[in-house]
Amino acid sequence: MNIILIGPPGAGKGTQAATLVKKHNMVQLSTGDMLRAARTSGTELGKTVAGVMDRGELVTDEIVIGLIEEQLKAGDVSGGFIFDGFPRTLAQADALSELLSKVDQKLDTVIQMTVDDKVLVNRITGRFTCGSCGEGYHEEFKKPATHDKCDKCGAADTFKKRADDNEVSLRTRLMAYYKETSPLIGYYYAKGQLEQVNGLNSIDRVGLDISKVMAGVS
Ligand code: AMP
């Protein structure tokens, strides 16, 4: 099954995608993660996108569509794909449906994670990850058992925050979301592919609601 998780920054898309990977053996395609990896490895692409990402603006359609195309051609599709943070524009949505049909795949459902904008600043500014295994944490909602040690892999002093997880970038990211990405909600609704879950619920509850949606379309 191929699904899109859609919602503003901080809606919980990455968290839920990670659960789906484990539970359903799906492949997570996060353009944000791919771009951050390009930055970490210091590629030309990474250098090109660094400033745009730190400001919270959108990278060009051409770049992200290219990244997704590569992954769709290379990926193990047995469990299906979770598109996380892609598509973010109508041009990306059109490109995705073309790319999927080229590899004889289709989009099964689009799950919108609804949240209240007021909670986003807190969710975003409080989050951090383990630099060693990538496990996600939050200063309020998901603290590690020991303050400087990862619960999952045991690495010490590796916690890090994203450069764009600050209030100024978040405002720009939210504006980009409302201007460029939110039209996709109407677009997929009109295609009969949109489902909604309440992203304000607990992580486990949101996960259960997503599983229910997926069971309903399979
Ligand atoms: P994310 O991890 O999804 O929050 O993405 C982090 C940043 O990467 C965004 O603020 C954009 O600068 C860039 N980015 C990620 N995915 C896309 C996309 N599909 N289209 C344009 N820019 C993107």
Side-chain angles (χ1 to χ4, degrees):
M1 173 170 302
N2 298 312
I3 69 168
I4 293 174
L5 294 180
I6 193 166
K13 303 182 295 292
T15 303
Q16 293 300 333
T19 307
L20 290 170
V21 167
K22 281 191 217 140
K23 215 162 138 184
H24 300 286
N25 194 28
M26 297 174 86
V27 174
Q28 176 186 7
L29 294 185
S30 157
T31 38
D33 285 350
M34 293 175 209
L35 293 167
R36 278 185 289 278
R39 291 181 64 175
T40 307
S41 47
T43 62
E44 279 311 308
L45 169 67
K47 287 177 198 156
T48 308
V49 299
V52 175
M53 289 178 76
D54 287 347
R55 287 193 297 278
E57 295 163 6
L58 290 187
V59 166
T60 64
D61 288 335
E62 197 188 353
I63 289 178
V64 288
I65 291 166
L67 289 172
I68 289 288
E69 185 169 16
E70 261 173 49
Q71 296 294 319
L72 283 185
K73 285 181 181 159
D76 166 10
V77 293
S78 61
F81 293 109
I82 309 153
F83 297 95
D84 159 13
F86 182 93
R88 259 175 158 97
T89 64
L90 285 167
Q92 291 176 26
D94 284 337
L96 178 62
S97 65
E98 270 179 40
L99 290 173
L100 282 172
S101 68
K102 268 195 213 162
V103 290
D104 283 331
Q105 295 276 321
K106 66 173 180 43
L107 184 64
D108 293 287
T109 189
V110 178
I111 302 176
Q112 180 192 2
M113 301 179 63
T114 61
V115 278
D116 185 335
D117 284 352
K118 280 187 231 141
V119 306
L120 296 178
V121 175
N122 185 21
R123 279 194 180 189
I124 289 270
T125 54
R127 69 184 183 180
F128 57 98
T129 52
C130 169
S132 185
C133 71
E135 182 72 356
Y137 293 94
H138 193 278
E139 282 159 14
E140 207 176 309
F141 314 119
K142 194 185 163 198
K143 290 183 192 171
T146 312
H147 81 281
D148 58 353
K149 199 166 151 204
C150 177
D151 293 346
K152 192 176 168 201
C153 74
D157 294 325
T158 61
F159 291 141
K160 57 174 193 182
K161 283 181 98 90
R162 276 171 50 169
D164 59 346
D165 275 352
N166 60 73
E167 214 171 321
V168 176
S169 285
L170 174 63
R171 304 258 167 235
T172 311
R173 285 156 75 195
L174 262 184
M175 269 194 286
Y177 176 78
Y178 285 115
K179 199 169 157 207
E180 307 280 354
T181 310
S182 66
L184 298 185
I185 289 161
Y187 170 89
Y188 285 119
Y189 175 77
K191 289 179 119 189
Q193 288 185 301
L194 190 78
E195 300 288 340
Q196 289 181 322
V197 299
N198 183 352
L200 287 173
N201 285 330
S202 69
I203 293 175
D204 289 349
R205 172 67 201 275
V206 176
L208 285 176
D209 290 345
I210 290 177
S211 293
K212 267 191 222 156
V213 167
M214 289 172 63
V217 289
S218 63

